[in-house]
Amino acid sequence: MNLGICSRSNDVVEPMIKPQWFVNCHTMAKAGLDAVRSKKIEIIPQQYEQDWYRWLENIRDWCVSRQLWWGHRVPAWYVTLEDEQLNDLGSNNDRWIVARNECDAMLEAQKKYPGKKFQLNQDPDVLDTWFSSGLFPLTVLGWPDDTADLRAFYPTSVLETGLDILFFWVARMVMMGMQLGGDVPFQKVYLHPMIRDAHGRKMSKSLGNVVDPLEVINGTTLEDLLKRLEEGNLDPNELSVAREGKKKDFPDGIAECGTDALRFALISYTSQSDKINLDIKRVVGYRQWCNKLWNAIRFAMGKLGDHYTPPATIVVSSMPPVCKWILSVLNKAIGKTVTSLEAYKFADATSAIYSWWQYQLCDVFIEAVKPYFFNDSQEFDSARAACRDALWVCLDNGLRLLHPFMPYVTEELWQRLPQPKDSCRKNSIMISEYPSVVKEWADDKLESEFGIILDTVNKLRPAFALCRGEDIAATVQCYQSLVVSLSSVSSLKILAESDETPPDCSTAVVNKDLSVYLQLQGALNAEAELEKLRKKRDEIQKLQHALSQKMEASGYREKAPPSVQEEDMRKLTAFFEQLRVIGEAEKKLDA
């Protein structure tokens, strides 16, 4: 890579008093374009590839001279011959020598001016920051020496950085790495979003909306937030605006959130693509969720007991249905998390983990197994043992699954879990194996059945369930005690289609085969119940209309696979059936 000295005006090279150093980037830019086009480098998210092409296809010579107080000095020395005075450094472009250091420059000058006495003066300018940092992938591995690290680790695998410096830093590293290292410096580039305030505004001192991560981690008062503003150098008018902004956004200061909650919140925000509108309330919510994790471990430790030893393997087939179900949905969460991480869709990974922990493990499984532990009858001994094993497996896998996102709390909680006998368990969760899918745990049929039951519970927490068909009646009958436990009703009566529906009940339609009723204590508000049914009907009609449009679209019957067409027809029929059931419920309420 050669430095050229010139002044540019309409592409005419002219001598200049103040030297400016340029790098011709056209050849290197072409190599950078080819590296992305050939997928030797993958830019994630892919939408930023267009920015890459736009920058490098319109590349110009790069001026690397900077008049700053810090940085790497330009490696160029000006030769002043004997009997000449150094009036203006750089007045003669031919006198410049570019070399690695002053000794090399001296040898080069002696060759260029043999037998003459001279003086060397280094250019006082420094190199552009991006020129120096563009060498980062090479220099950290010992370049320009041929080191073992350079041979082993170059090119590296992934670079993670902000999308705003895709050209300034990433492109420069690629161009210089390919020119000087002979290969791309990394195979993947992950660009994270830019963090803004909760209102979507860029963080700036004048607005007073800059959030210090340490203030979120450790917490702070409004008084301290205002004090920090006053210790700055803001203009009085800007200070007034900043103070009002702090008072509005943080009237009670910032609660202590901890590192894990902040990390999890930022990762979950990456679905917003190019920016993160950071709402501290969301971080506080994840801090409170950490308490939920502690409570789950506390419950488990109380039920596992001091003498519990996890088995080396578990036999899923002999477990109660709720244990089989939680392992099956854990399997789904593991698969979703792993595939999301591999695709760099980190927000999807956090969503899968959070949903499993919150809505399936804590809200359903832990509540569902409590009766097994509160009943000391010997007939539940086998079920209790299975619940203990399933609980331990869930917490062990769940904490390892969550660990990359919340390293501190998961390490602390994982260390409290009992260890299997004669196991090769690691001393730290950090070096433990990441969870992987277990085929034996998968049970789609059971998950489907549980989906119906949980929909039933979530609709109205019913006292009656009207089943239209033997299969659905058998499913509800099988999980009747689970529905009662989760919905906190005294009993659940299963009705056949020929049975009279109970009067003065709140009604909800789970699906075309199942409606649920809750006996009310006071008078039935028919208008309110009708409004709920109308909303449900509108929701189903929108889904039915969208599916009908899809099926009536040009080319659907020719292009869609038969299995897809059959599934769509099944869904459409189910929508019509649900609308019919809702219509019947509305007629009864009108009567």
Side-chain angles (χ1 to χ4, degrees), residues 303-336:
K303 303 312 172 194
L304 295 178
D306 296 334
H307 304 294
Y308 173 77
T309 301
T313 58
I314 57 173
V315 181
V316 179
S317 59
S318 61
M319 287 184 161
V322 70
C323 296
K324 296 178 183 178
W325 170 79
I326 193 60
L327 293 178
S328 185
V329 292
L330 170 60
N331 221 28
K332 286 272 177 70
I334 291 172
K336 177 65 175 177

Side-chain angles (χ1 to χ4, degrees), residues 198-379:
H199 311 290
R201 302 173 302 178
K202 185 177 180 180
M203 291 190 183
S204 70
K205 293 179 181 178
S206 60
L207 289 175
N209 63 344
V210 177
V211 177
D212 186 337
L214 292 178
E215 292 173 343
V216 180
I217 293 170
N218 300 320
T220 188
T221 63
L222 175 61
E223 182 182 354
D224 287 338
L225 289 172
L226 298 177
K227 183 180 179 181
R228 194 162 69 86
L229 282 176
E230 293 165 356
E231 291 172 349
N233 57 354
L234 290 178
D235 176 90
N237 292 331
E238 291 179 337
L239 179 60
S240 176
V241 172
R243 286 177 59 87
E244 291 305 312
K246 288 291 187 188
K247 290 178 181 178
K248 182 178 179 181
D249 288 342
F250 309 111
D252 302 316
I254 300 175
E256 180 183 351
C257 295
T259 306
D260 283 343
L262 179 58
R263 181 195 303 260
F264 196 88
L266 292 175
I267 297 173
S268 67
Y269 264 123
T270 55
S271 60
Q272 295 185 2
S273 185
D274 62 337
K275 62 181 180 294
I276 290 175
N277 296 341
L278 181 60
D279 187 349
I280 302 301
K281 292 178 181 177
R282 184 166 174 178
V283 186
V284 173
Y286 287 127
R287 173 65 181 88
Q288 294 167 344
W289 185 59
C290 289
N291 292 338
K292 191 96 170 181
L293 303 180
W294 276 93
N295 290 336
I297 297 296
R298 190 175 293 112
F299 169 82
M301 299 307 293
K303 303 312 172 194
L304 295 178
D306 296 334
H307 304 294
Y308 173 77
T309 301
T313 58
I314 57 173
V315 181
V316 179
S317 59
S318 61
M319 287 184 161
V322 70
C323 296
K324 296 178 183 178
W325 170 79
I326 193 60
L327 293 178
S328 185
V329 292
L330 170 60
N331 221 28
K332 286 272 177 70
I334 291 172
K336 177 65 175 177
T337 302
V338 171
T339 55
S340 298
L341 289 175
E342 290 173 346
Y344 293 83
K345 296 181 178 180
F346 302 120
D348 290 350
T350 59
S351 177
I353 296 172
Y354 182 89
S355 295
W356 179 81
W357 268 98
Q358 180 69 33
Y359 304 122
Q360 294 173 327
L361 181 70
C362 294
D363 288 358
V364 177
F365 180 72
I366 288 180
E367 294 301 320
V369 299
K370 283 180 179 178
Y372 290 109
F373 295 109
F374 295 152
N375 191 325
D376 294 331
S377 173
Q378 290 184 353
E379 65 178 298

Side-chain angles (χ1 to χ4, degrees), residues 118-131:
F118 55 82
Q119 178 183 349
L120 294 180
N121 292 278
Q122 188 175 359
D123 192 324
D125 282 1
V126 297
L127 292 169
D128 177 23
T129 299
W130 301 114
F131 186 92

